Amino acid sequence: MDTVRIAVVGAGVMGLSTAVCISKMVPGCSITVISDKFTPETTSDVAAGMLIPPTYPDTPIQKQKQWFKETFDHLFAIVNSAEAEDAGVILVSGWQIFRSIPTEEVPYWADVVLGFRKMTKDELKKFPQHVFGHAFTTLKCEGPTYLPWLQKRLKGSGGLILTRRIEDLWELHPSFDIVVNCSGLGSRQLAGDSQIFPVRGQVLKVQAPWVKHFIRDSSGLTYIYPGVSNVTLGGTRQKGDWNLSPDAEISKEILSRCCALEPSLRGAYDLREKVGLRPSRPGVRLEKELLAQGSRRLPVVHHYGHGSGGIAMHWGTALEATRLVNECVQVFRTPAPKSKL
């Protein structure tokens, strides 16, 4: 059986998790991850990594729930193993709070996270501006630790990593038989996708080791997420903004919003600003495409466009992308019918 040569373009959480899934589930392949940026330079390194999923308007809720549950189960297995520290996965408990009672009091993911319940009146006393809330335990997956862990697993299974900027997917033909496009915002150029756009996120990473519970305003704009070595304070959601430089005024505003929810953060120290551009589109693009140029053919699996839900959904969508890759491999291995003349 000939080895099928697979190139994965992109080395954020999508590219690396898909490469690891393929290496585990598709036999007889060689896998090369190709990117011009690797950890700690990716968007996934800036992400807070909390498993609280967004809602994608163009995707059936059952599908979203499946992606989230598969990701939660994957990371929950890691958090319950000796690998938890090396992988940067922890359990965190806390509150999601609302200024008015939401139309949907129980979100679709309530039975995936642990111990989901409505907040009590006594708990809500901590947040006088808010009238309703959810309390639950979820997972936090820290990009700057998790990405190197995925890279190590990929290399351990024989995968290769190549630093190179790809301007056109056809550059990979004929060196590779199948391409997996996990290039995020790069897909504007690589896949001609005009639907994908950046949503700028600015956060502060601070030292506040006394903060142990997460707090998230239901808008998703203000949040306090304690992690292993710092607390992430956010945030912003600036559509169409490509600026990767931190804005000092925005940092002041983020700190002020977070201190309104958790006044003890006035004592936070060692503040560091980070900016990431979320690759957003109306729905995740997860599909096969057969590129054709004259007599040449290049099968591509697209896997990108998760917006703010990259880490929350990554393993579920990587499994689905891997199933699509497997279909391409089967076609590749099926001999073409000989024409009868």
Side-chain angles (χ1 to χ4, degrees):
M1 186 168 67
D2 285 348
T3 299
V4 179
R5 302 161 304 169
I6 298 172
V8 178
V9 180
V13 74
M14 292 310 146
L16 292 175
S17 59
T18 307
V20 168
C21 277
I22 295 168
S23 73
K24 285 167 68 165
M25 296 168 67
V26 185
C29 293
S30 69
I31 301 160
T32 306
V33 173
I34 305 172
S35 183
D36 61 339
K37 285 204 176 113
F38 287 87
T39 180
E41 303 295 320
T42 76
T43 301
S44 306
D45 288 288
V46 179
M50 287 290 287
L51 265 75
I52 302 174
T55 300
Y56 300 116
D58 288 9
T59 309
I61 286 295
Q62 276 312 108
K63 176 60 71 181
Q64 298 185 55
K65 186 170 181 177
Q66 177 192 331
W67 291 341
F68 181 59
K69 181 166 173 33
E70 287 171 342
T71 306
F72 197 95
D73 291 349
H74 158 72
L75 293 174
F76 192 58
I78 293 171
V79 91
N80 290 317
S81 78
E83 294 284 307
E85 184 189 0
D86 282 350
V89 184
I90 59 170
L91 282 163
V92 205
S93 300
W95 302 290
Q96 174 165 256
I97 50 178
F98 297 76
R99 287 175 183 271
S100 57
I101 293 177
T103 47
E104 189 182 61
E105 289 192 20
V106 180
Y108 75 82
W109 43 265
D111 60 351
V112 178
V113 298
L114 308 174
F116 182 94
R117 59 178 175 77
K118 290 180 192 174
M119 283 170 70
T120 64
K121 280 199 176 84
D122 283 344
E123 283 174 307
L124 282 165
K125 281 179 189 165
K126 181 169 169 60
F127 309 107
Q129 304 301 311
H130 295 75
V131 300
F132 181 84
H134 301 141
F136 56 94
T137 298
T138 189
L139 291 154
K140 187 174 189 292
C141 173
E142 310 212 323
T145 312
Y146 184 62
L147 295 191
W149 183 79
L150 285 174
Q151 280 187 22
K152 197 167 119 192
R153 297 199 60 191
L154 179 64
K155 286 177 177 168
S157 65
L160 299 174
I161 287 180
L162 189 61
T163 305
R164 177 177 152 195
R165 183 173 177 80
I166 302 294
E167 305 282 351
D168 185 328
L169 295 179
W170 279 107
E171 292 171 33
L172 300 167
H173 184 281
S175 305
F176 294 95
D177 305 307
I178 297 167
V179 172
V180 187
N181 172 28
C182 300
S183 64
L185 285 168
S187 295
R188 274 182 87 86
Q189 179 182 341
L190 286 179
D193 186 348
S194 58
Q195 285 194 292
I196 192 156
F197 60 94
V199 175
R200 183 181 182 277
Q202 181 167 322
V203 297
L204 298 175
K205 305 274 184 179
V206 308
Q207 292 300 314
W210 58 89
V211 174
K212 303 294 187 194
H213 280 70
F214 76 80
I215 302 168
R216 178 184 196 268
D217 186 270
S218 62
S219 66
L221 277 178
T222 304
Y223 50 82
I224 299 160
Y225 294 149
V228 175
S229 57
N230 55 39
V231 181
T232 302
L233 308 182
T236 66
R237 207 181 277 157
Q238 296 156 278
K239 289 184 177 179
D241 188 334
W242 292 86
N243 185 7
L244 280 166
S245 301
D247 178 321
E249 281 305 307
I250 288 176
S251 291
K252 265 196 242 171
E253 195 224 337
I254 288 171
L255 188 59
S256 157
R257 280 190 274 131
C258 289
C259 287
L261 297 180
E262 181 53 74
S264 72
L265 284 168
R266 291 273 169 226
Y269 55 96
D270 193 13
L271 280 65
R272 293 167 194 231
E273 300 165 303
K274 298 276 185 186
V275 176
L277 306 180
R278 307 173 184 97
S280 301
R281 64 197 302 284
V284 175
R285 188 175 184 198
L286 198 45
E287 64 184 2
K288 294 183 291 188
E289 181 182 16
L290 186 61
L291 300 185
Q293 255 188 11
S295 61
R296 302 191 303 163
R297 299 286 182 271
L298 183 61
V300 176
V301 172
H302 296 287
H303 179 209
Y304 65 85
H306 296 65
S308 62
I311 288 180
M313 299 295 206
H314 77 277
W315 198 257
T317 59
L319 288 170
E320 194 156 320
T322 300
R323 287 190 282 272
L324 297 177
V325 168
N326 201 26
E327 289 170 18
C328 294
V329 168
Q330 300 313 317
V331 170
F332 184 81
R333 289 201 170 125
T334 306
K338 291 190 169 64
S339 58
K340 293 174 182 168
L341 293 173

